[in-house]
Amino acid sequence: DAKTTQPNSMESNEEEPVHLPCNHSTISGTDYIHWYRQLPSQGPEYVIHGLTSNVNNRMASLAIAEDRKSSTLILHRATLRDAAVYYCILKPGTNAGKSTFGDGTTLTVKP
Amino acid sequence: NAGVMQNPRHLVRRRGQEARLRCSPMKGHSHVYWYRQLPEEGLKFMVYLQKENIIDESGMPKERFSAEFPKEGPSILRIQQVVRGDSAAYFCASSPDLDRVGNEQFFGPGTRLTVL
């Protein structure tokens, strides 16, 4: 599986936007970029995914670089409930398959 | 539509006993995945099953661990002769139709296994 690199931790203030980066320089043409998050003592939760174009949903936005070697998860207004570990994962688009989780970014949101 | 269900949520076993973890996928999902998360670590893939078939077990320890997903009923992750190092949170996830590209996985709340 292609590897992703994320910062270990980030901090944000409540009500401010948060940009969580992910590098995936070895991404292949058919890999989708998925983001999950894991709140304390819970299972991971799907956030968003994309292939080439930027994506928006009710939880977040995903900005994908033109060369697809990096992406950024954008939380438009962080809340205390957004404090979690955020994982950036590459998944082949041709099968359901396993997800390979890295260490993720621990997001701390300060009131 | 109920989410992925796992039971028990907490399981305590003594060394040498067997642990059985159950996972009921979301309705209409035929793909099940098991992951393990050791304390203070990330999730590690264990096994991927589709009804009655093991598709990928590359993350399963070679001994004591087995998984099944029968035609009827939940998926079972079985750990025989548990040791203290098996203490972890075990998460199950399910996903829908294989042909849908970019499938997201829906995770259950996990079973926290403690081996005394």
Side-chain angles (χ1 to χ4, degrees):
Chain A
D1 294 340
K3 190 174 169 56
T4 63
T5 305
Q6 300 176 253
N8 288 335
S9 61
M10 291 186 66
E11 279 190 358
S12 171
N13 293 318
E14 199 175 10
E15 306 283 313
E16 291 185 356
V18 182
H19 290 232
L20 296 161
C22 181
N23 288 320
H24 28 78
S25 58
T26 59
I27 190 170
S28 76
T30 57
D31 284 341
Y32 278 72
I33 302 158
H34 286 240
W35 283 82
Y36 286 79
R37 71 179 185 181
Q38 187 175 21
L39 279 65
S41 300
Q42 294 188 28
E45 173 187 31
Y46 166 80
V47 178
I48 200 168
H49 76 276
L51 183 61
T52 55
S53 304
N54 294 343
V55 184
N56 299 295
N57 66 21
R58 64 175 180 80
M59 290 181 69
S61 295
L62 176 60
I64 301 172
E66 198 169 328
D67 63 5
R68 301 210 325 126
K69 293 185 176 182
S70 65
S71 61
T72 302
L73 180 71
I74 303 166
L75 307 178
H76 295 286
R77 289 181 64 203
T79 69
L80 297 179
R81 287 175 295 199
D82 291 322
V85 180
Y86 286 78
Y87 297 98
C88 169
I89 298 163
L90 302 182
K91 291 198 65 175
T94 54
N95 64 70
K98 65 185 180 185
S99 293
T100 301
F101 287 81
D103 293 331
T105 296
T106 300
L107 175 66
T108 302
V109 180
K110 296 184 287 184
Chain B
N1 186 11
V4 177
M5 293 190 290
Q6 292 188 248
N7 67 81
R9 295 290 306 276
H10 299 272
L11 182 60
V12 179
R13 285 287 177 266
R14 296 190 181 279
R15 281 179 296 170
Q17 291 184 319
E18 179 180 285
R20 279 184 181 242
L21 288 61
R22 286 177 290 278
C23 169
S24 297
M26 287 181 69
K27 188 176 180 180
H29 288 194
S30 59
H31 302 267
V32 165
Y33 313 81
W34 286 93
Y35 295 84
R36 177 166 65 174
Q37 188 169 35
L38 295 169
E40 307 302 324
E41 294 189 15
L43 287 95
K44 302 297 181 191
F45 167 78
M46 298 182 75
V47 63
Y48 162 32
L49 309 104
Q50 191 181 1
K51 281 291 186 181
E52 300 184 275
N53 293 307
I54 295 175
I55 308 300
D56 180 355
E57 55 182 348
S58 58
M60 284 281 268
K62 294 288 184 272
E63 297 176 348
R64 302 187 297 109
F65 285 72
S66 62
E68 62 177 10
F69 189 17
K71 188 175 180 181
E72 302 291 336
S75 176
I76 307 287
L77 179 68
R78 183 181 177 208
I79 311 172
Q80 294 178 288
Q81 299 177 316
V82 296
V83 300
R84 288 217 174 101
D86 296 333
S87 296
Y90 292 82
F91 293 98
C92 168
S94 71
S95 67
D97 189 7
L98 180 67
D99 292 327
R100 182 180 154 213
V101 294
N103 272 332
E104 63 261 35
Q105 294 179 359
F106 298 83
F107 282 81
T111 293
R112 279 151 183 83
L113 173 66
T114 302
V115 180
L116 302 178

